[in-house]
Amino acid sequence: MPTTTHAMQAEPVLDLRAIPPYQRHQLIFQSVQDLTPGDGFSLVNDHDPRPLHHQLLSLFGASFSWEYLQQGPEVWQVRIARPEGAAATSLRVRIDRNGDVAVAADDARLGPDASGASVCEVTDCPPGTLAADVLSLLQGVIPPAGVVSIAYERLLARRNGSCCGGMCG
């Protein structure tokens, strides 16, 4: 399938029609996560991917754009991109021994404290990601001893079926 040109650059096309349904969303989530500011791709599907748009909003907030290029009746094509100037952020969180999480102060010392809780930095959060969404992804996560940095993409991997998002090995 030909690639779409946008802003004078060829962009990849992800044609979902040839991919088994159970593999599609994880592939799309990873593709969006991998976008750097200014990059995008076109998604081709045999039905309106509107529910996917809502899922992406819940995972990535306002850190991506969604533009219909074709709207059926047999083929839908959407351009998904990360806007220029959209830089990843980080968030410090306090994780109790029982897995409860809360936002920590930006200057909180990373590592364990006297109560057995640990302050960790969740890195590479897409721009516009709400703290509440990060906390939701972290519920029940207890990082291994010595881990003070957790990549946002690992939390997404955990949500999508990996037991710990790759933190255990």
Side-chain angles (χ1 to χ4, degrees):
M1 179 161 224
T3 57
T4 305
T5 56
H6 189 272
M8 305 294 286
Q9 270 186 335
E11 291 184 339
V13 174
L14 184 56
D15 190 339
L16 299 178
R17 298 172 296 180
I19 298 171
Y22 64 91
Q23 294 176 346
R24 293 177 182 178
H25 283 212
Q26 187 164 347
L27 176 63
I28 297 163
F29 298 154
Q30 188 62 53
S31 297
V32 173
Q33 180 70 30
D34 291 344
L35 288 174
T36 58
D39 286 343
F41 65 92
S42 290
L43 179 118
V44 178
N45 206 357
D46 58 5
H47 63 274
D48 189 351
R50 183 175 308 212
L52 172 67
H53 184 214
H54 296 293
Q55 285 181 302
L56 292 174
L57 283 171
S58 73
L59 291 171
F60 299 104
S63 70
F64 73 97
S65 63
W66 176 279
E67 175 189 2
Y68 280 101
L69 303 175
Q70 184 176 350
Q71 291 185 275
E74 294 179 20
V75 175
W76 279 258
Q77 185 171 6
V78 176
R79 180 176 187 269
I80 300 172
R82 180 144 338 219
E84 286 287 346
T89 60
S90 62
L91 179 69
R92 289 207 178 182
V93 295
R94 182 178 189 275
I95 304 173
D96 290 334
R97 287 187 300 173
N98 65 2
D100 288 341
V101 294
V103 174
D106 289 341
D107 61 350
R109 184 181 158 276
L110 294 173
D113 66 16
S115 72
S118 184
V119 174
C120 294
E121 186 100 27
V122 178
T123 61
D124 300 322
C125 299
T129 301
L130 301 176
D133 293 336
V134 174
L135 296 178
S136 175
L137 288 170
L138 274 167
Q139 281 300 323
V141 171
I142 301 175
V147 172
V148 295
S149 178
I150 304 168
Y152 183 82
E153 69 183 54
R154 290 196 171 196
L155 295 174
L156 288 180
R158 179 178 179 267
R159 174 187 264 181
N160 292 323
S162 171
C163 65
C164 64
M167 287 184 279
C168 63

